């Protein structure tokens, strides 16, 4: 599983990355978590507001830090 946190490194981007790693630990799922800070790469996902969350190349959310339960649900969906 490949997870990308899109954002320039703002406070919300850091919060999202931390929450993703916490969820992965709780679910005991191994994944590559990549932080994407290059604006041109972020724009490739049509993300206009950060942070953004991409799981296995599927954009799940952008413009807000999702709740922990949302992140958990999306990761579990991608595992199936």
């Amino acid at each position: 599983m490949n997870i990308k946190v899109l954002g320039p490194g703002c406070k919300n981007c850091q919060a999202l990355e931390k929450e993703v790693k916490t969820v992965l630990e709780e679910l005991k799922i191994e994944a590559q978590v990549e932080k994407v800070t290059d604006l041109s790469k972020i724009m490739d996902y049509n993300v206009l507001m950060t942070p953004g969350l991409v799981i296995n190349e599927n954009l799940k959310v952008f413009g807000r830090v999702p709740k922990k339960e949302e992140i958990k649900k999306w990761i579990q969906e991608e595992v199936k």
Side-chain angles (χ1 to χ4, degrees):
M1 180 179 298
N2 182 286
I3 298 175
K4 294 178 182 171
V5 176
L6 311 176
C10 63
K11 190 174 181 177
N12 285 338
C13 304
Q14 293 170 359
L16 177 56
E17 182 182 16
K18 183 179 176 186
E19 200 74 304
V20 166
K21 289 180 177 178
T22 299
V23 169
L24 288 170
E25 281 183 26
E26 287 179 9
L27 295 175
K28 299 185 185 332
I29 294 174
E30 288 188 33
Q32 179 182 353
V33 180
E34 182 183 349
K35 197 170 177 179
V36 178
T37 58
D38 184 326
L39 287 179
S40 64
K41 290 182 180 175
I42 292 172
M43 291 301 292
D44 287 344
Y45 293 96
N46 292 322
V47 170
L48 303 176
M49 294 178 63
T50 59
L53 179 64
V54 176
I55 302 176
N56 289 342
E57 294 304 313
N58 297 310
L59 179 64
K60 298 298 183 180
V61 67
F62 67 90
R64 65 180 177 91
V65 177
K67 294 180 181 176
K68 188 175 183 178
E69 291 306 314
E70 291 177 292
I71 297 170
K72 197 176 278 189
K73 178 183 162 212
W74 294 325
I75 289 175
Q76 288 174 325
E77 286 174 355
E78 291 294 329
V79 169
K80 294 179 183 176

